[in-house]
């Protein structure tokens, strides 16, 4: 997924820097990825042999990580063929996110919205009837979320839809399976506020990738949240936002981020703590260093990377095409 803040392109930098500090021995060590997003970092360290603790406050992220960080059995080709052969249904997605329903929104073509509905409804039926177990359910639901995103009629995020249908959104929707990540079986996946969860977990390495700016993930990915929950929420406004107050992150506000971050580091029961943050984030570099230095030995790694763009370059007035990514490191006392 083309995801805000994704560390996919930075994984070599992250893995080399982290191994330089903690070494390469993963045996019986726990790695926590607590702003997990699409699970890129957690699944990478799972494949290296670490026990993983994964968390994100967004439910669609929880679903993705329940599959990637969990240990799920393979899905048969017949199961995928069956789901892809389902006839489209005029369900919640079609009625609220497709222009043909008269809702005024244009997130998916009518055909793809109906197909998403039919698969989503069938997954719930299969689970409730006992035809698939929990692992299979999350595997298929995670694959649906990942697949349908490729057909979204947006510039990248779901804060707005496009008036015309772009080429990738015109293609016929097809459910494709996410990979199975081999690794240890002792993994945990949570869907909680990180500052609450931190009091109940512990481990060796804590990796933090909080929001850097005021963009709330709950509004930028609200359509995926609704597909994941399929809870028929009341929608508001032109973009069809669901209620999101309980998912708003305090890391997206200059008023609250410093206190929230300090609380997190103070209560983290981990020997090594790593924080990804860039030079344009809400917390200045000096503030981060000042907070982390209170609790142990501090260091930092840096690299430059291409800026994330949610729309065409000519529509944005950026000062630079690249930003500097910092990986702050704390060896906690």
């Amino acid at each position: 997924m083309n995801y805000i803040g994704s560390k996919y392109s930075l994984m070599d930098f992250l893995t080399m820097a982290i191994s330089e500090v903690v070494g390469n021995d993963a045996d019986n060590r726990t790695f926590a990825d607590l702003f997990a997003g699409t699970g890129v970092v957690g699944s990478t360290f799972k494949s290296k042999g670490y026990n993983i603790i994964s968390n994100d406050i967004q439910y669609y992220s929880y679903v993705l990580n329940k599959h990637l960080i969990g240990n799920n059995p393979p899905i048969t080709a017949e199961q995928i063929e069956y789901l892809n052969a389902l006839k489209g249904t005029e369900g919640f997605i079609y009625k609220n996110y497709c222009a043909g329903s008269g809702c005024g929104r244009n997130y998916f073509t009518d055909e793809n919205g109906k197909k998403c509905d039919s698969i989503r409804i069938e997954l719930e039926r299969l689970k409730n009837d006992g035809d698939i177990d929990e692992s299979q359910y999350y595997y298929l639901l995670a694959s649906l979320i990942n697949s349908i995103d490729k057909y979204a009629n947006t510039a990248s995020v779901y804060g707005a839809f496009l008036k015309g249908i772009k080429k990738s959104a015109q293609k016929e929707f097809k459910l494709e399976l996410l990979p199975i990540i081999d690794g240890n079986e002792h993994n945990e996946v949570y869907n909680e506020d990180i500052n609450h969860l931190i009091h109940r977990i512990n481990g060796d390495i804590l990796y933090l990738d909080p929001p850097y700016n005021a963009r709330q993930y709950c509004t930028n990915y609200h359509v995926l949240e609704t597909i994941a929950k399929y809870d028929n929420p009341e929608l508001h406004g032109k973009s069809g936002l669901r209620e999101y107050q309980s998912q708003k992150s305090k890391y997206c506000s200059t008023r609250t981020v410093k206190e929230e971050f300090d609380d997190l580091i103070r209560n983290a029961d981990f020997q090594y703590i790593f924080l990804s943050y860039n030079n344009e984030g809400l917390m200045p570099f000096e503030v981060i260093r000042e907070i982390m230095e209170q609790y142990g030995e501090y260091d930092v790694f840096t690299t430059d990377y291409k800026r994330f763009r949610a729309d065409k370059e000519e529509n944005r007035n950026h000062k630079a095409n690249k930003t500097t990514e910092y990986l702050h490191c704390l060896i906690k006392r």
Side-chain angles (χ1 to χ4, degrees):
M1 289 174 61
N2 186 19
Y3 196 69
I4 295 175
S6 173
K7 294 301 178 286
Y8 180 79
S9 63
L10 291 170
M11 281 312 304
D12 287 344
F13 163 68
L14 294 177
T15 54
M16 286 190 294
I18 291 173
S19 64
E20 184 176 323
V21 176
V22 308
N24 294 309
D25 183 12
D27 288 349
N28 297 315
R29 298 177 95 180
T30 297
F31 182 100
D33 179 19
L34 302 189
F35 292 95
T38 57
V40 171
V41 176
S43 58
T44 297
F45 280 86
K46 176 188 176 183
S47 69
K48 293 179 179 293
Y50 287 90
N51 300 318
I52 304 298
I53 303 174
S54 174
N55 175 69
D56 201 285
I57 199 168
Q58 300 299 133
Y59 185 72
Y60 66 82
S61 173
Y62 171 75
V63 171
L64 292 170
N65 283 280
K66 279 287 285 184
H67 164 60
L68 293 170
I69 304 305
N71 290 277
N72 295 332
I75 299 294
T76 67
E78 290 76 12
Q79 288 173 299
I80 290 298
E81 290 171 3
Y82 165 71
L83 291 170
N84 275 321
L86 291 172
K87 183 180 179 181
T89 301
E90 293 186 2
F92 192 87
I93 304 306
Y94 168 74
K95 291 176 181 176
N96 292 280
Y97 300 121
C98 300
S101 68
C103 67
R105 304 184 187 108
N106 201 23
Y107 282 107
F108 304 104
T109 64
D110 294 348
E111 293 76 16
N112 288 343
K114 292 176 186 178
K115 193 61 171 286
C116 180
D117 275 316
S118 63
I119 294 175
R120 184 64 185 89
I121 291 168
E122 183 64 2
L123 289 183
E124 212 64 24
R125 186 197 69 78
L126 290 170
K127 182 192 71 169
N128 293 337
D129 290 352
D131 294 326
I132 57 175
D133 61 21
E134 183 181 88
S135 293
Q136 292 171 312
Y137 172 75
Y138 281 114
Y139 189 177
L140 290 167
L141 182 52
S143 296
L144 174 61
I145 293 167
N146 185 71
S147 295
I148 193 64
D149 181 66
K150 299 174 185 177
Y151 300 83
N153 190 44
T154 66
S156 181
V157 297
Y158 294 82
F161 49 82
L162 302 176
K163 292 181 179 179
I165 303 292
K166 66 180 185 179
K167 287 186 178 180
S168 61
Q170 293 175 18
K171 296 178 181 179
E172 182 182 354
F173 172 64
K174 182 180 180 182
L175 177 64
E176 297 178 278
L177 289 177
L178 282 164
I180 293 175
I181 309 299
D182 292 328
N184 291 334
E185 297 180 0
H186 305 294
N187 302 317
E188 304 168 23
V189 183
Y190 296 94
N191 178 213
E192 298 187 26
D193 183 308
I194 185 175
N195 283 66
H196 297 161
L197 177 63
I198 200 66
H199 294 275
R200 309 199 317 273
I201 62 172
N202 62 77
D204 303 289
I205 302 165
L206 172 59
Y207 174 72
L208 303 171
D209 184 23
Y212 296 178
N213 53 43
R215 292 182 296 196
Q216 292 280 354
Y217 283 76
C218 50
T219 55
N220 274 318
Y221 295 97
H222 65 99
V223 175
L224 296 184
E225 188 76 0
T226 295
I227 293 172
K229 290 185 173 180
Y230 213 70
D231 53 353
N232 301 311
E234 182 179 347
L235 303 182
H236 305 278
K238 184 177 180 180
S239 60
L241 285 173
R242 56 185 292 125
E243 192 283 320
Y244 60 87
Q245 292 302 315
S246 63
Q247 292 179 313
K248 288 182 69 174
S249 174
K250 292 182 180 179
Y251 290 87
C252 292
S253 168
T254 54
R255 183 175 57 84
T256 55
V257 62
K258 180 179 177 180
E259 181 180 349
E260 200 77 354
F261 179 64
D262 181 72
D263 175 79
L264 179 60
I265 301 301
R266 183 173 63 253
N267 290 298
D269 187 8
F270 290 81
Q271 182 180 4
Y272 302 100
I273 301 176
F274 295 90
L275 169 73
S276 282
Y277 218 71
N278 71 20
N279 60 312
E280 297 177 347
L282 295 177
M283 281 193 296
F285 180 95
E286 293 301 327
V287 168
I288 295 172
R289 183 171 68 178
E290 177 185 329
I291 290 173
M292 297 184 79
E293 281 181 337
Q294 297 178 74
Y295 302 105
E297 180 183 342
Y298 169 84
D299 201 354
V300 65
F301 301 84
T302 64
T303 189
D304 290 334
Y305 72 105
K306 189 175 180 180
R307 180 190 302 278
F308 175 92
R309 296 188 186 278
D311 51 16
K312 295 181 180 179
E313 292 188 22
E314 59 264 28
N315 293 335
R316 298 177 73 87
N317 184 24
H318 289 304
K319 295 180 180 179
N321 290 323
K322 293 185 177 181
T323 57
T324 300
E325 180 80 6
Y326 298 114
L327 183 65
H328 301 269
C329 167
L330 171 66
I331 304 177
K332 200 169 183 186
R333 287 191 291 264

